Structures are given as structure tokens and as C-alpha cells.
Amino acid sequence: MKYAFPIAALAAAATAGPVVTERQAAAAVTDIGILNYALTLEHLEDKFYREGLANYTEADFAKAGFDSTFYANLKEISYDETTHVSFLTTALADAAVAECKYSFPSTDPASFVALASVLEGVGVSAYLGAAASIMNKDYLTVAGSILTVEARHNAYVRSALKRSPFPQPFDAPLTFDEVYTLAAGFIVSCPDSNAAKPQLPLKAFPTLALGTADPIKSGDTATLLHQRTARHQSTPAFVSVTGPIYADVTSMDGGFKVVVPKGVNGQSYVVLTGCRDRVTDDTVAAGPAIVEITNPYPSTA
């Protein structure tokens, strides 16, 4: 398989030892660790599509309302994810993490496509959030090229679900730990050999779940389910590239009632934070929860 990127140069950099800046060292973050983080996500998406296409036939998708063109494009998306895995694995060489075992809660073509939309959206936010931490310009170019493809996947699948393919002008970046929290729900186990590979020091936050059914729009009240503890005075914050958007909240048994703010649309993410002036991995108490917000489209404001 041929690649336009200088894969030999990337592989050489991976095996020669990463260049670590002071900023990265303080957080135990390296470019090679970030590439393995990306590979972990690509393994998950790759397995998801391969498993789904093995479980459901073209006829099954047709019965669910998805035509032959959509089925063919799903196979193309699956090919893209397999290619991403192959590229990153080759570039990382002996440093590459292996595929884990996963459990995906899709029981039919409709739930498979719905979950595909969620995973592609998380993938976009994951690459976007990681970009600022990548120091090597070649690695950044590779990550950016994958990000743009994931964004096209996401837009296509959203359109097939009759959702806006591009619901807002800016995508929301997620931190390493926020993405890992979402991915961890699908990971059953990973090979012991992965522990010896250079990886990021990831942690999963406590679960935050949406307790309100679609559709949800700005101004609506949504329920967030979370087992609160007395030591947390938490505030819901919706993730945005321009900074967190805090929501009006009312406590209830088992969680909170939240008024969905303006400024968020499409697949959105909300966390609980103990800090009203910033949201970082150090201040997040739970989440993120994924909230699909369906404001009028096209936007007029």
C-alpha cells in the first residue's frame, strides 16, 4: 500500500526516540504517545465498521431505509479506517499499540448507523483537541489529513440520518481524557503488550449520561444523570472551541436538570466541572455526556 506522506521519515522519528518539549514533559505527553492515542481510536473505528458490515448485509441496510449507494459508501468508510490503522501502525513500527477487544451496542443497521455518527463525531473532536499538543510538523500534517476525512465521514453519516451535516461553524475539541472516557465504554480489554508501548497517561472520568430523549434544542431542559458526592459542587459546561458555555442547572435526585444554552448545535458534549472560570482535565468531575442538539437549520443567527 502506497502513501503520499513520508512514512519512512515518520517511522524513523518514532524509533529514534521522540523529541519532548518542556510543556509536553510536564504532562507526560509525547508525539509518539499522541500517535498511539490516534491509533487506539482508529483501531476502535476500524473494528466497529468491519464488525458491522460482517453482521448486516446490504439487504439488511435496505430494509432499514439505507440504499445501495449508502451501503457502498459505508464500505468505503470502513476501508478508510483500515487504511488509517495500517498507516499509523507502519509509521510507529514496534512502538504501535495493538487492537483491543470491543463491545458495541448496535443490534440492527439503524442503531449501527446511529453509533457510526457518534463515533465519527468523537473522532473529529479527538483529532481537533490533540492538534495543539503535537510538536512535530509532519505528525501534525498526518493528523490533520485524517481529521478532514473523519469530518467528511461524519457529515455523510449525519446527512443519511436526516441530521444537519454541518450543524455549526466550529467543531468542539475534546481533551485526551474526555475522549478516553467516551472510548473506554466500548473497550473490553487490551493486549498486555500494549502496556509496554509509549502511550499517554489517560484516565476515564466518572460517567455522565443524558436522561432526555431527542429532539433537544437550545432553551430546552435536559436531564443529566450522575451519582453526585458531597464533595462536588459541580456546574454543567458545554464544550466549545471558544471556551466552555455554562448552563443553568437545578439539582435533582440522581443528577441535574440543565437548560441547554445557545451557541451549541449538533453533536455536543457537556461535562461537570468544579470550576466556573475554566474547564480542564484537572477540573472535570464527570463526563462528557453526548447531547444531540437540533436547532433550526439553516442557522439564522
Coordinates of all heavy atoms in Angstrom, one line a residue, residues 127-193:
Y127 N -9.2 14.4 17.3 CA -8.1 15.0 16.5 C -7.9 16.5 16.6 O -6.8 17.0 16.7 CB -8.2 14.6 15.0 CG -7.8 13.2 14.7 CD1 -8.7 12.2 14.5 CD2 -6.4 12.9 14.5 CE1 -8.3 10.9 14.2 CE2 -6.0 11.6 14.2 CZ -6.9 10.6 14.0 OH -6.5 9.3 13.8
L128 N -9.1 17.2 16.7 CA -9.0 18.6 16.9 C -8.4 19.0 18.2 O -7.6 19.9 18.3 CB -10.5 19.2 16.7 CG -10.6 20.7 16.8 CD1 -9.8 21.4 15.7 CD2 -12.1 21.1 16.7
G129 N -8.8 18.3 19.2 CA -8.3 18.5 20.6 C -6.8 18.2 20.7 O -6.1 18.9 21.5
A130 N -6.4 17.2 20.0 CA -5.0 16.8 20.1 C -4.0 17.7 19.3 O -2.8 17.7 19.6 CB -4.8 15.3 19.6
A131 N -4.5 18.4 18.3 CA -3.7 19.1 17.4 C -2.7 20.1 18.1 O -1.5 20.2 17.8 CB -4.5 19.9 16.4
A132 N -3.2 20.8 19.1 CA -2.3 21.8 19.8 C -1.2 21.2 20.5 O -0.2 21.9 20.9 CB -3.2 22.6 20.7
S133 N -1.3 19.9 20.8 CA -0.2 19.2 21.6 C 0.8 18.5 20.7 O 1.9 18.0 21.3 CB -0.8 18.2 22.6 OG -1.7 18.8 23.5
I134 N 0.6 18.5 19.4 CA 1.6 17.8 18.5 C 2.7 18.8 18.1 O 2.4 19.9 17.6 CB 0.8 17.3 17.3 CG1 -0.2 16.3 17.7 CG2 1.8 16.7 16.3 CD1 -1.1 15.9 16.5
M135 N 3.9 18.5 18.4 CA 5.0 19.3 18.2 C 5.6 19.1 16.8 O 6.1 20.1 16.2 CB 6.1 19.1 19.2 CG 5.7 19.5 20.7 SD 5.4 21.3 20.8 CE 3.6 21.4 20.9
N136 N 5.7 17.9 16.3 CA 6.4 17.6 15.0 C 5.4 18.0 13.9 O 4.3 17.5 13.8 CB 6.7 16.1 15.0 CG 7.4 15.7 13.7 OD1 6.9 15.8 12.6 ND2 8.7 15.3 13.9
K137 N 5.9 18.8 13.0 CA 5.0 19.3 11.9 C 4.5 18.2 11.0 O 3.4 18.2 10.4 CB 5.7 20.4 11.1 CG 6.9 20.0 10.3 CD 7.5 21.2 9.6 CE 8.8 20.7 8.8 NZ 9.3 21.9 8.0
D138 N 5.4 17.1 10.8 CA 5.0 16.0 9.9 C 3.8 15.2 10.6 O 2.9 14.8 9.9 CB 6.2 15.1 9.6 CG 7.2 15.7 8.7 OD1 6.8 16.5 7.8 OD2 8.4 15.4 8.8
Y139 N 4.0 15.0 11.9 CA 2.9 14.3 12.6 C 1.6 15.2 12.5 O 0.5 14.6 12.4 CB 3.3 14.1 14.1 CG 4.4 13.2 14.3 CD1 5.0 13.1 15.6 CD2 5.0 12.4 13.3 CE1 6.1 12.3 15.8 CE2 6.0 11.6 13.5 CZ 6.6 11.5 14.8 OH 7.7 10.7 15.1
L140 N 1.7 16.5 12.7 CA 0.6 17.3 12.7 C -0.1 17.3 11.3 O -1.4 17.3 11.2 CB 1.0 18.8 13.0 CG -0.1 19.8 13.1 CD1 -1.2 19.4 14.1 CD2 0.4 21.2 13.4
T141 N 0.7 17.2 10.2 CA 0.1 17.1 8.9 C -0.7 15.8 8.7 O -1.8 15.8 8.2 CB 1.2 17.3 7.8 OG1 1.8 18.5 8.0 CG2 0.6 17.1 6.4
V142 N -0.1 14.7 9.2 CA -0.8 13.4 9.1 C -2.1 13.5 9.9 O -3.1 13.0 9.4 CB 0.1 12.3 9.7 CG1 -0.6 11.0 9.9 CG2 1.3 12.1 8.8
A143 N -2.0 14.0 11.2 CA -3.2 14.0 12.0 C -4.3 14.9 11.3 O -5.5 14.6 11.3 CB -2.9 14.6 13.4
G144 N -3.9 16.0 10.7 CA -4.8 16.9 10.1 C -5.5 16.3 8.9 O -6.7 16.5 8.6
S145 N -4.7 15.5 8.1 CA -5.2 14.8 6.9 C -6.3 13.8 7.3 O -7.2 13.5 6.6 CB -4.1 14.2 6.1 OG -3.6 13.1 6.7
I146 N -6.1 13.1 8.5 CA -7.0 12.1 8.9 C -8.3 12.9 9.5 O -9.4 12.5 9.2 CB -6.4 11.2 10.0 CG1 -5.3 10.4 9.4 CG2 -7.5 10.3 10.7 CD1 -4.6 9.5 10.4
L147 N -8.1 14.0 10.2 CA -9.2 14.8 10.7 C -10.1 15.2 9.6 O -11.4 15.0 9.8 CB -8.6 16.0 11.4 CG -9.6 17.1 11.8 CD1 -10.7 16.6 12.6 CD2 -8.9 18.3 12.4
T148 N -9.6 15.7 8.5 CA -10.5 16.1 7.4 C -11.4 15.0 6.9 O -12.5 15.2 6.5 CB -9.7 16.8 6.3 OG1 -8.7 15.9 5.8 CG2 -9.1 18.1 6.8
V149 N -10.8 13.8 6.8 CA -11.5 12.6 6.3 C -12.6 12.2 7.3 O -13.7 11.9 6.9 CB -10.5 11.5 5.9 CG1 -11.3 10.2 5.6 CG2 -9.6 11.9 4.8
E150 N -12.2 12.2 8.6 CA -13.2 11.8 9.6 C -14.4 12.8 9.5 O -15.5 12.4 9.8 CB -12.5 11.8 11.0 CG -11.4 10.8 11.2 CD -11.9 9.4 11.2 OE1 -13.1 9.2 11.2 OE2 -11.0 8.5 11.3
A151 N -14.1 14.1 9.3 CA -15.1 15.1 9.2 C -16.1 14.8 8.1 O -17.3 15.0 8.2 CB -14.5 16.5 9.1
R152 N -15.5 14.4 6.9 CA -16.4 14.1 5.8 C -17.2 12.8 6.1 O -18.4 12.8 5.7 CB -15.5 13.9 4.5 CG -15.0 15.2 3.9 CD -14.5 15.0 2.5 NE -13.2 14.3 2.5 CZ -12.1 15.0 2.6 NH1 -12.1 16.3 2.8 NH2 -10.9 14.4 2.6
H153 N -16.6 11.8 6.7 CA -17.4 10.7 7.2 C -18.6 11.1 8.0 O -19.7 10.7 7.8 CB -16.5 9.7 8.0 CG -15.4 9.0 7.2 ND1 -14.5 8.3 7.9 CD2 -15.2 8.9 5.9 CE1 -13.6 7.8 7.0 NE2 -14.0 8.2 5.8
N154 N -18.3 12.0 9.0 CA -19.3 12.4 10.0 C -20.4 13.1 9.3 O -21.6 12.9 9.5 CB -18.6 13.3 11.0 CG -19.6 13.7 12.1 OD1 -20.4 12.9 12.6 ND2 -19.5 14.9 12.6
A155 N -20.1 14.0 8.4 CA -21.1 14.8 7.6 C -22.0 13.9 6.8 O -23.2 14.1 6.7 CB -20.4 15.9 6.8
Y156 N -21.3 12.9 6.1 CA -22.1 12.0 5.3 C -23.1 11.2 6.1 O -24.3 11.0 5.7 CB -21.1 11.1 4.5 CG -21.9 10.1 3.6 CD1 -22.4 10.6 2.4 CD2 -22.0 8.8 3.9 CE1 -23.1 9.7 1.5 CE2 -22.7 7.9 3.1 CZ -23.2 8.4 1.9 OH -23.9 7.6 1.1
V157 N -22.6 10.6 7.2 CA -23.5 9.7 8.0 C -24.6 10.6 8.6 O -25.8 10.1 8.7 CB -22.7 9.0 9.1 CG1 -23.6 8.2 10.0 CG2 -21.7 8.0 8.4
R158 N -24.3 11.8 9.1 CA -25.3 12.6 9.7 C -26.4 12.9 8.7 O -27.6 12.9 9.0 CB -24.7 13.9 10.2 CG -23.9 13.8 11.5 CD -23.4 15.1 12.0 NE -24.5 16.0 12.3 CZ -25.2 16.1 13.4 NH1 -24.8 15.3 14.4 NH2 -26.1 16.9 13.6
S159 N -26.0 13.2 7.4 CA -26.9 13.5 6.4 C -27.9 12.3 6.1 O -29.1 12.5 5.9 CB -26.2 13.9 5.1 OG -27.1 14.2 4.1
A160 N -27.3 11.1 6.2 CA -28.1 9.9 6.0 C -29.1 9.7 7.1 O -30.2 9.1 6.9 CB -27.2 8.7 5.9
L161 N -28.8 10.3 8.3 CA -29.8 10.2 9.4 C -30.7 11.4 9.4 O -31.5 11.6 10.4 CB -29.0 10.2 10.7 CG -28.2 8.9 10.9 CD1 -27.3 9.0 12.2 CD2 -29.1 7.7 11.1
K162 N -30.7 12.2 8.3 CA -31.6 13.4 8.2 C -31.2 14.4 9.3 O -32.1 15.2 9.7 CB -33.1 13.0 8.3 CG -33.5 11.9 7.3 CD -33.3 12.4 5.8 CE -33.9 11.5 4.8 NZ -33.2 10.2 4.7
R163 N -29.9 14.5 9.6 CA -29.5 15.5 10.5 C -28.6 16.5 9.7 O -28.0 16.1 8.7 CB -28.7 14.9 11.7 CG -29.5 14.1 12.6 CD -28.6 13.3 13.6 NE -29.4 12.6 14.6 CZ -28.9 11.8 15.5 NH1 -27.6 11.5 15.5 NH2 -29.7 11.2 16.4
S164 N -28.4 17.7 10.2 CA -27.6 18.6 9.6 C -26.2 18.1 9.4 O -25.6 17.6 10.4 CB -27.5 19.9 10.3 OG -26.5 20.8 9.8
P165 N -25.6 18.0 8.2 CA -24.2 17.5 8.1 C -23.2 18.4 8.6 O -22.1 18.0 9.0 CB -24.1 17.4 6.5 CG -25.1 18.4 6.0 CD -26.2 18.4 6.9
F166 N -23.5 19.7 8.8 CA -22.5 20.6 9.4 C -23.3 21.6 10.2 O -23.6 22.7 9.8 CB -21.7 21.4 8.3 CG -22.4 21.5 7.0 CD1 -23.3 22.5 6.8 CD2 -22.2 20.7 6.0 CE1 -24.0 22.7 5.6 CE2 -22.8 20.8 4.7 CZ -23.7 21.8 4.6
P167 N -23.7 21.2 11.5 CA -24.7 22.0 12.3 C -24.1 23.2 12.9 O -24.9 24.0 13.4 CB -25.1 20.9 13.3 CG -23.9 20.0 13.5 CD -23.3 19.9 12.1
Q168 N -22.8 23.5 12.9 CA -22.3 24.7 13.5 C -21.0 25.1 12.8 O -20.4 24.3 12.2 CB -22.2 24.6 15.0 CG -21.3 23.5 15.5 CD -21.3 23.4 17.0 OE1 -21.9 24.1 17.7 NE2 -20.5 22.4 17.5
P169 N -20.7 26.4 12.9 CA -19.5 26.8 12.2 C -18.2 26.3 12.7 O -17.2 26.3 12.0 CB -19.5 28.4 12.4 CG -20.9 28.7 12.8 CD -21.4 27.5 13.6
F170 N -18.1 25.9 14.0 CA -16.9 25.4 14.6 C -17.2 24.0 15.3 O -18.2 23.9 16.0 CB -16.4 26.4 15.7 CG -16.1 27.7 15.2 CD1 -17.1 28.8 15.3 CD2 -14.9 28.0 14.5 CE1 -16.8 30.0 14.8 CE2 -14.7 29.3 14.0 CZ -15.7 30.3 14.2
D171 N -16.2 23.1 15.1 CA -16.3 21.8 15.9 C -15.8 22.0 17.3 O -15.0 22.9 17.5 CB -15.6 20.7 15.1 CG -16.3 20.2 13.9 OD1 -17.5 20.0 14.0 OD2 -15.7 20.1 12.8
A172 N -16.2 21.1 18.2 CA -15.8 21.2 19.6 C -14.6 20.3 19.8 O -14.6 19.1 19.5 CB -16.9 20.8 20.5
P173 N -13.5 20.8 20.3 CA -12.3 20.0 20.6 C -12.5 19.3 22.0 O -13.0 19.9 22.9 CB -11.1 21.0 20.7 CG -11.8 22.3 21.2 CD -13.2 22.3 20.6
L174 N -12.1 18.0 22.1 CA -12.1 17.3 23.3 C -10.7 17.0 23.8 O -9.8 16.8 23.0 CB -12.9 16.0 23.1 CG -14.4 16.1 22.9 CD1 -15.0 14.7 22.6 CD2 -15.1 16.7 24.1
T175 N -10.5 17.0 25.1 CA -9.2 16.7 25.6 C -8.9 15.2 25.5 O -9.8 14.4 25.3 CB -9.1 17.1 27.1 OG1 -10.0 16.2 27.9 CG2 -9.5 18.5 27.3
F176 N -7.7 14.8 25.8 CA -7.3 13.3 25.7 C -8.2 12.5 26.7 O -8.7 11.5 26.3 CB -5.9 13.2 26.1 CG -4.9 13.8 25.2 CD1 -3.9 14.7 25.6 CD2 -4.9 13.5 23.8 CE1 -3.0 15.3 24.8 CE2 -4.0 14.1 22.9 CZ -3.1 15.0 23.4
D177 N -8.4 13.0 27.9 CA -9.1 12.3 28.9 C -10.6 12.2 28.6 O -11.3 11.2 28.9 CB -8.9 12.8 30.3 CG -7.5 12.5 30.9 OD1 -6.9 11.5 30.3 OD2 -7.0 13.2 31.8
E178 N -11.1 13.3 28.1 CA -12.5 13.3 27.7 C -12.8 12.3 26.6 O -13.8 11.6 26.6 CB -12.9 14.7 27.2 CG -13.0 15.7 28.3 CD -13.2 17.2 27.9 OE1 -12.9 17.4 26.7 OE2 -13.5 18.1 28.7
V179 N -11.9 12.2 25.6 CA -12.1 11.2 24.5 C -12.0 9.8 25.1 O -12.8 8.9 24.8 CB -11.1 11.5 23.4 CG1 -11.1 10.3 22.4 CG2 -11.3 12.8 22.7
Y180 N -11.0 9.6 25.9 CA -10.8 8.3 26.5 C -12.0 7.9 27.3 O -12.3 6.7 27.3 CB -9.5 8.3 27.4 CG -9.2 6.9 28.0 CD1 -8.9 5.8 27.2 CD2 -9.4 6.7 29.4 CE1 -8.6 4.6 27.7 CE2 -9.1 5.4 29.9 CZ -8.8 4.4 29.1 OH -8.5 3.2 29.6
T181 N -12.6 8.8 28.0 CA -13.8 8.5 28.8 C -14.9 7.9 27.9 O -15.6 7.0 28.3 CB -14.3 9.7 29.6 OG1 -13.3 10.2 30.5 CG2 -15.5 9.5 30.3
L182 N -15.0 8.5 26.7 CA -16.1 8.1 25.8 C -15.7 6.7 25.2 O -16.5 5.8 25.0 CB -16.3 9.1 24.7 CG -16.9 10.5 25.2 CD1 -16.9 11.5 24.1 CD2 -18.3 10.3 25.8
A183 N -14.4 6.6 24.8 CA -14.0 5.4 24.2 C -13.9 4.2 25.1 O -14.2 3.0 24.7 CB -12.6 5.6 23.6
A184 N -13.6 4.4 26.4 CA -13.5 3.4 27.4 C -14.8 2.5 27.5 O -14.7 1.3 27.8 CB -13.1 3.9 28.7
G185 N -15.9 3.1 27.2 CA -17.2 2.4 27.3 C -17.3 1.3 26.3 O -18.1 0.4 26.5
F186 N -16.5 1.3 25.3 CA -16.5 0.3 24.2 C -15.4 -0.7 24.3 O -15.4 -1.8 23.7 CB -16.5 0.9 22.8 CG -17.5 1.9 22.6 CD1 -17.2 3.3 22.5 CD2 -18.9 1.6 22.4 CE1 -18.2 4.2 22.3 CE2 -19.9 2.5 22.1 CZ -19.5 3.8 22.1
I187 N -14.4 -0.4 25.2 CA -13.2 -1.3 25.3 C -13.4 -2.3 26.4 O -13.6 -2.0 27.5 CB -12.0 -0.4 25.6 CG1 -11.7 0.5 24.4 CG2 -10.7 -1.3 25.7 CD1 -10.6 1.5 24.7
V188 N -13.3 -3.6 26.0 CA -13.5 -4.7 26.9 C -12.1 -5.0 27.6 O -12.0 -5.1 28.8 CB -14.1 -5.9 26.3 CG1 -14.1 -7.1 27.2 CG2 -15.5 -5.6 25.7
S189 N -11.1 -5.2 26.8 CA -9.8 -5.5 27.2 C -8.8 -5.2 26.1 O -9.2 -5.1 24.9 CB -9.6 -6.9 27.7 OG -9.8 -7.8 26.5
C190 N -7.5 -5.0 26.5 CA -6.5 -4.7 25.5 C -5.3 -5.7 25.8 O -5.1 -6.2 26.9 CB -5.9 -3.3 25.7 SG -7.2 -2.1 25.2
P191 N -4.5 -6.0 24.7 CA -3.4 -6.9 24.9 C -2.4 -6.4 25.9 O -2.2 -5.2 26.1 CB -2.8 -6.9 23.5 CG -3.8 -6.5 22.6 CD -4.7 -5.5 23.3
D192 N -1.9 -7.4 26.7 CA -0.9 -7.0 27.7 C 0.3 -6.3 27.1 O 0.9 -5.4 27.8 CB -0.4 -8.2 28.5 CG -1.5 -8.9 29.3 OD1 -2.5 -8.2 29.7 OD2 -1.3 -10.1 29.7
S193 N 0.6 -6.6 25.9 CA 1.8 -6.0 25.2 C 1.6 -4.5 25.1 O 2.6 -3.7 24.9 CB 2.0 -6.6 23.8 OG 0.9 -6.4 23.0

